[in-house]
Amino acid sequence: MDYYDIDDILRTEELLPVTFTHGAEGMGWLDPNNRTESPDLAPDAKILLPAWLAEQLALKRNVTVRIPKSHSNQTRNELKADPSVFSMRAHPYFYDIGLLLVRTGADANELHQVIKQTFRGRFEMILDNAQNWRGEDHVPFTETLTDNESRLFMLGYRSTGDFDKWRRHKEEPLEPSATILALNSYVNAKKRKRD
């Protein structure tokens, strides 16, 4: 994580549902549904925490991370059916949060497989669109992508544009660099001296 990267900040601020495995003294203020006004969180308290905090507490076994709606069984089934038609607009950090869930052990095996299959299924579509999208507004398409997929699309789109630009100017002769010109004049001078 880059400290000053706004995307990393937004990604780690995504709220995840957690269940406390132990009570937490002085943390009652974290629970918006705390009707007893207790200063402590009870064991089995269910609250939402930012991803950065949920991950750290889960790794120390203080909480169990529950599967959020973005990675629910319904979403997984839709992604298994055809990942290329699924709009990720509501889940901009799908892959990052999914990998965090895998690291914390929340349904790790199946979720890891779904993430891999989803990326494979969507990568071809993203690459195809990046290489063939010319002269049109690509914003409607990129709005259906995750944050990572959108960056991948833009890299492919720009590199395809750069390649097309290079290919169109192929008729122009390539100019040798100053180093090559200097080397050629040096070699030619040596040849003349030998003759």
PDB file of all heavy atoms in Angstrom, residues 124-143:
ATOM      1  N   GLU A 124     -10.140 -11.361 -21.157  1.00  0.00           N
ATOM      2  CA  GLU A 124     -10.249 -11.434 -22.613  1.00  0.00           C
ATOM      3  C   GLU A 124     -11.161 -10.325 -23.144  1.00  0.00           C
ATOM      4  O   GLU A 124     -10.849  -9.681 -24.148  1.00  0.00           O
ATOM      5  CB  GLU A 124     -10.784 -12.806 -23.016  1.00  0.00           C
ATOM      6  CG  GLU A 124     -10.819 -13.018 -24.512  1.00  0.00           C
ATOM      7  CD  GLU A 124     -11.284 -14.414 -24.882  1.00  0.00           C
ATOM      8  OE1 GLU A 124     -11.106 -15.348 -24.094  1.00  0.00           O
ATOM      9  OE2 GLU A 124     -11.832 -14.537 -25.985  1.00  0.00           O
ATOM     10  N   MET A 125     -12.289 -10.103 -22.474  1.00  0.00           N
ATOM     11  CA  MET A 125     -13.214  -9.050 -22.883  1.00  0.00           C
ATOM     12  C   MET A 125     -12.544  -7.672 -22.777  1.00  0.00           C
ATOM     13  O   MET A 125     -12.659  -6.843 -23.681  1.00  0.00           O
ATOM     14  CB  MET A 125     -14.456  -9.085 -21.994  1.00  0.00           C
ATOM     15  CG  MET A 125     -15.388  -7.903 -22.172  1.00  0.00           C
ATOM     16  SD  MET A 125     -16.568  -7.673 -20.819  1.00  0.00           S
ATOM     17  CE  MET A 125     -15.534  -7.356 -19.424  1.00  0.00           C
ATOM     18  N   ILE A 126     -11.813  -7.441 -21.706  1.00  0.00           N
ATOM     19  CA  ILE A 126     -11.149  -6.148 -21.495  1.00  0.00           C
ATOM     20  C   ILE A 126     -10.072  -5.934 -22.546  1.00  0.00           C
ATOM     21  O   ILE A 126      -9.980  -4.862 -23.148  1.00  0.00           O
ATOM     22  CB  ILE A 126     -10.556  -6.083 -20.067  1.00  0.00           C
ATOM     23  CG1 ILE A 126     -11.666  -6.059 -19.032  1.00  0.00           C
ATOM     24  CG2 ILE A 126      -9.647  -4.875 -19.904  1.00  0.00           C
ATOM     25  CD1 ILE A 126     -11.218  -6.342 -17.625  1.00  0.00           C
ATOM     26  N   LEU A 127      -9.263  -6.954 -22.792  1.00  0.00           N
ATOM     27  CA  LEU A 127      -8.206  -6.859 -23.790  1.00  0.00           C
ATOM     28  C   LEU A 127      -8.777  -6.627 -25.187  1.00  0.00           C
ATOM     29  O   LEU A 127      -8.286  -5.783 -25.938  1.00  0.00           O
ATOM     30  CB  LEU A 127      -7.353  -8.123 -23.765  1.00  0.00           C
ATOM     31  CG  LEU A 127      -6.141  -8.151 -24.672  1.00  0.00           C
ATOM     32  CD1 LEU A 127      -5.166  -7.032 -24.291  1.00  0.00           C
ATOM     33  CD2 LEU A 127      -5.448  -9.488 -24.589  1.00  0.00           C
ATOM     34  N   ASP A 128      -9.836  -7.352 -25.530  1.00  0.00           N
ATOM     35  CA  ASP A 128     -10.472  -7.184 -26.835  1.00  0.00           C
ATOM     36  C   ASP A 128     -10.996  -5.760 -27.004  1.00  0.00           C
ATOM     37  O   ASP A 128     -10.785  -5.127 -28.049  1.00  0.00           O
ATOM     38  CB  ASP A 128     -11.605  -8.197 -26.990  1.00  0.00           C
ATOM     39  CG  ASP A 128     -12.270  -8.126 -28.344  1.00  0.00           C
ATOM     40  OD1 ASP A 128     -11.541  -8.058 -29.359  1.00  0.00           O
ATOM     41  OD2 ASP A 128     -13.510  -8.129 -28.400  1.00  0.00           O
ATOM     42  N   ASN A 129     -11.668  -5.251 -26.005  1.00  0.00           N
ATOM     43  CA  ASN A 129     -12.187  -3.882 -26.086  1.00  0.00           C
ATOM     44  C   ASN A 129     -11.065  -2.852 -26.126  1.00  0.00           C
ATOM     45  O   ASN A 129     -11.165  -1.852 -26.834  1.00  0.00           O
ATOM     46  CB  ASN A 129     -13.132  -3.592 -24.919  1.00  0.00           C
ATOM     47  CG  ASN A 129     -14.509  -4.168 -25.149  1.00  0.00           C
ATOM     48  OD1 ASN A 129     -15.120  -3.940 -26.177  1.00  0.00           O
ATOM     49  ND2 ASN A 129     -14.980  -4.942 -24.197  1.00  0.00           N
ATOM     50  N   ALA A 130     -10.008  -3.075 -25.388  1.00  0.00           N
ATOM     51  CA  ALA A 130      -8.883  -2.125 -25.377  1.00  0.00           C
ATOM     52  C   ALA A 130      -8.222  -2.050 -26.749  1.00  0.00           C
ATOM     53  O   ALA A 130      -7.798  -0.976 -27.179  1.00  0.00           O
ATOM     54  CB  ALA A 130      -7.859  -2.527 -24.319  1.00  0.00           C
ATOM     55  N   GLN A 131      -8.150  -3.162 -27.452  1.00  0.00           N
ATOM     56  CA  GLN A 131      -7.486  -3.189 -28.745  1.00  0.00           C
ATOM     57  C   GLN A 131      -8.377  -2.728 -29.892  1.00  0.00           C
ATOM     58  O   GLN A 131      -7.886  -2.311 -30.923  1.00  0.00           O
ATOM     59  CB  GLN A 131      -6.976  -4.596 -29.044  1.00  0.00           C
ATOM     60  CG  GLN A 131      -5.840  -4.997 -28.148  1.00  0.00           C
ATOM     61  CD  GLN A 131      -5.380  -6.422 -28.394  1.00  0.00           C
ATOM     62  OE1 GLN A 131      -6.097  -7.239 -28.954  1.00  0.00           O
ATOM     63  NE2 GLN A 131      -4.172  -6.717 -27.958  1.00  0.00           N
ATOM     64  N   ASN A 132      -9.680  -2.790 -29.710  1.00  0.00           N
ATOM     65  CA  ASN A 132     -10.587  -2.488 -30.818  1.00  0.00           C
ATOM     66  C   ASN A 132     -11.456  -1.255 -30.615  1.00  0.00           C
ATOM     67  O   ASN A 132     -12.266  -0.940 -31.474  1.00  0.00           O
ATOM     68  CB  ASN A 132     -11.478  -3.705 -31.098  1.00  0.00           C
ATOM     69  CG  ASN A 132     -10.655  -4.891 -31.528  1.00  0.00           C
ATOM     70  OD1 ASN A 132      -9.813  -4.781 -32.402  1.00  0.00           O
ATOM     71  ND2 ASN A 132     -10.864  -6.022 -30.882  1.00  0.00           N
ATOM     72  N   TRP A 133     -11.343  -0.588 -29.507  1.00  0.00           N
ATOM     73  CA  TRP A 133     -12.178   0.577 -29.209  1.00  0.00           C
ATOM     74  C   TRP A 133     -11.490   1.809 -29.761  1.00  0.00           C
ATOM     75  O   TRP A 133     -10.582   2.341 -29.156  1.00  0.00           O
ATOM     76  CB  TRP A 133     -12.339   0.711 -27.699  1.00  0.00           C
ATOM     77  CG  TRP A 133     -13.591   1.396 -27.298  1.00  0.00           C
ATOM     78  CD1 TRP A 133     -13.915   2.693 -27.492  1.00  0.00           C
ATOM     79  CD2 TRP A 133     -14.697   0.814 -26.626  1.00  0.00           C
ATOM     80  NE1 TRP A 133     -15.131   2.960 -26.980  1.00  0.00           N
ATOM     81  CE2 TRP A 133     -15.645   1.817 -26.435  1.00  0.00           C
ATOM     82  CE3 TRP A 133     -14.968  -0.453 -26.156  1.00  0.00           C
ATOM     83  CZ2 TRP A 133     -16.856   1.601 -25.793  1.00  0.00           C
ATOM     84  CZ3 TRP A 133     -16.160  -0.667 -25.515  1.00  0.00           C
ATOM     85  CH2 TRP A 133     -17.094   0.344 -25.351  1.00  0.00           C
ATOM     86  N   ARG A 134     -11.920   2.285 -30.897  1.00  0.00           N
ATOM     87  CA  ARG A 134     -11.285   3.442 -31.531  1.00  0.00           C
ATOM     88  C   ARG A 134     -12.297   4.547 -31.787  1.00  0.00           C
ATOM     89  O   ARG A 134     -13.364   4.301 -32.340  1.00  0.00           O
ATOM     90  CB  ARG A 134     -10.636   3.052 -32.867  1.00  0.00           C
ATOM     91  CG  ARG A 134      -9.504   2.116 -32.720  1.00  0.00           C
ATOM     92  CD  ARG A 134      -8.286   2.864 -32.162  1.00  0.00           C
ATOM     93  NE  ARG A 134      -7.475   1.967 -31.386  1.00  0.00           N
ATOM     94  CZ  ARG A 134      -7.244   2.116 -30.085  1.00  0.00           C
ATOM     95  NH1 ARG A 134      -7.736   3.101 -29.429  1.00  0.00           N
ATOM     96  NH2 ARG A 134      -6.482   1.269 -29.450  1.00  0.00           N
ATOM     97  N   GLY A 135     -11.940   5.755 -31.423  1.00  0.00           N
ATOM     98  CA  GLY A 135     -12.717   6.937 -31.763  1.00  0.00           C
ATOM     99  C   GLY A 135     -14.071   7.041 -31.097  1.00  0.00           C
ATOM    100  O   GLY A 135     -14.876   7.880 -31.468  1.00  0.00           O
ATOM    101  N   GLU A 136     -14.361   6.208 -30.152  1.00  0.00           N
ATOM    102  CA  GLU A 136     -15.649   6.269 -29.471  1.00  0.00           C
ATOM    103  C   GLU A 136     -15.416   6.554 -27.995  1.00  0.00           C
ATOM    104  O   GLU A 136     -14.326   6.401 -27.474  1.00  0.00           O
ATOM    105  CB  GLU A 136     -16.392   4.942 -29.611  1.00  0.00           C
ATOM    106  CG  GLU A 136     -16.712   4.547 -31.034  1.00  0.00           C
ATOM    107  CD  GLU A 136     -17.331   3.161 -31.093  1.00  0.00           C
ATOM    108  OE1 GLU A 136     -18.027   2.776 -30.144  1.00  0.00           O
ATOM    109  OE2 GLU A 136     -17.092   2.467 -32.087  1.00  0.00           O
ATOM    110  N   ASP A 137     -16.476   6.963 -27.335  1.00  0.00           N
ATOM    111  CA  ASP A 137     -16.407   7.222 -25.900  1.00  0.00           C
ATOM    112  C   ASP A 137     -16.394   5.884 -25.158  1.00  0.00           C
ATOM    113  O   ASP A 137     -17.334   5.101 -25.276  1.00  0.00           O
ATOM    114  CB  ASP A 137     -17.609   8.065 -25.480  1.00  0.00           C
ATOM    115  CG  ASP A 137     -17.571   8.463 -24.025  1.00  0.00           C
ATOM    116  OD1 ASP A 137     -16.482   8.410 -23.419  1.00  0.00           O
ATOM    117  OD2 ASP A 137     -18.627   8.829 -23.481  1.00  0.00           O
ATOM    118  N   HIS A 138     -15.342   5.630 -24.404  1.00  0.00           N
ATOM    119  CA  HIS A 138     -15.224   4.351 -23.700  1.00  0.00           C
ATOM    120  C   HIS A 138     -15.698   4.423 -22.254  1.00  0.00           C
ATOM    121  O   HIS A 138     -15.644   3.432 -21.540  1.00  0.00           O
ATOM    122  CB  HIS A 138     -13.789   3.819 -23.753  1.00  0.00           C
ATOM    123  CG  HIS A 138     -12.762   4.788 -23.263  1.00  0.00           C
ATOM    124  ND1 HIS A 138     -12.612   5.101 -21.948  1.00  0.00           N
ATOM    125  CD2 HIS A 138     -11.862   5.522 -23.939  1.00  0.00           C
ATOM    126  CE1 HIS A 138     -11.653   5.991 -21.812  1.00  0.00           C
ATOM    127  NE2 HIS A 138     -11.173   6.262 -23.003  1.00  0.00           N
ATOM    128  N   VAL A 139     -16.193   5.568 -21.813  1.00  0.00           N
ATOM    129  CA  VAL A 139     -16.620   5.722 -20.419  1.00  0.00           C
ATOM    130  C   VAL A 139     -17.764   4.770 -20.059  1.00  0.00           C
ATOM    131  O   VAL A 139     -17.725   4.155 -18.989  1.00  0.00           O
ATOM    132  CB  VAL A 139     -16.981   7.194 -20.110  1.00  0.00           C
ATOM    133  CG1 VAL A 139     -17.601   7.336 -18.737  1.00  0.00           C
ATOM    134  CG2 VAL A 139     -15.743   8.064 -20.238  1.00  0.00           C
ATOM    135  N   PRO A 140     -18.791   4.595 -20.909  1.00  0.00           N
ATOM    136  CA  PRO A 140     -19.852   3.643 -20.527  1.00  0.00           C
ATOM    137  C   PRO A 140     -19.322   2.234 -20.272  1.00  0.00           C
ATOM    138  O   PRO A 140     -19.799   1.543 -19.379  1.00  0.00           O
ATOM    139  CB  PRO A 140     -20.804   3.660 -21.726  1.00  0.00           C
ATOM    140  CG  PRO A 140     -20.571   4.978 -22.371  1.00  0.00           C
ATOM    141  CD  PRO A 140     -19.114   5.288 -22.152  1.00  0.00           C
ATOM    142  N   PHE A 141     -18.322   1.824 -21.049  1.00  0.00           N
ATOM    143  CA  PHE A 141     -17.742   0.490 -20.833  1.00  0.00           C
ATOM    144  C   PHE A 141     -16.932   0.446 -19.545  1.00  0.00           C
ATOM    145  O   PHE A 141     -17.067  -0.482 -18.749  1.00  0.00           O
ATOM    146  CB  PHE A 141     -16.866   0.086 -22.032  1.00  0.00           C
ATOM    147  CG  PHE A 141     -16.090  -1.180 -21.788  1.00  0.00           C
ATOM    148  CD1 PHE A 141     -16.734  -2.396 -21.722  1.00  0.00           C
ATOM    149  CD2 PHE A 141     -14.719  -1.147 -21.607  1.00  0.00           C
ATOM    150  CE1 PHE A 141     -16.031  -3.564 -21.488  1.00  0.00           C
ATOM    151  CE2 PHE A 141     -14.011  -2.300 -21.377  1.00  0.00           C
ATOM    152  CZ  PHE A 141     -14.669  -3.514 -21.320  1.00  0.00           C
ATOM    153  N   THR A 142     -16.073   1.436 -19.326  1.00  0.00           N
ATOM    154  CA  THR A 142     -15.201   1.402 -18.143  1.00  0.00           C
ATOM    155  C   THR A 142     -15.988   1.543 -16.845  1.00  0.00           C
ATOM    156  O   THR A 142     -15.492   1.157 -15.795  1.00  0.00           O
ATOM    157  CB  THR A 142     -14.115   2.488 -18.211  1.00  0.00           C
ATOM    158  OG1 THR A 142     -14.713   3.766 -18.364  1.00  0.00           O
ATOM    159  CG2 THR A 142     -13.152   2.219 -19.349  1.00  0.00           C
ATOM    160  N   GLU A 143     -17.199   2.083 -16.916  1.00  0.00           N
ATOM    161  CA  GLU A 143     -18.017   2.172 -15.700  1.00  0.00           C
ATOM    162  C   GLU A 143     -18.484   0.809 -15.211  1.00  0.00           C
ATOM    163  O   GLU A 143     -18.901   0.677 -14.075  1.00  0.00           O
ATOM    164  CB  GLU A 143     -19.222   3.080 -15.938  1.00  0.00           C
ATOM    165  CG  GLU A 143     -18.859   4.550 -15.970  1.00  0.00           C
ATOM    166  CD  GLU A 143     -20.056   5.450 -16.199  1.00  0.00           C
ATOM    167  OE1 GLU A 143     -21.114   4.948 -16.646  1.00  0.00           O
ATOM    168  OE2 GLU A 143     -19.930   6.652 -15.938  1.00  0.00           O
TER     169      GLU A 143
END
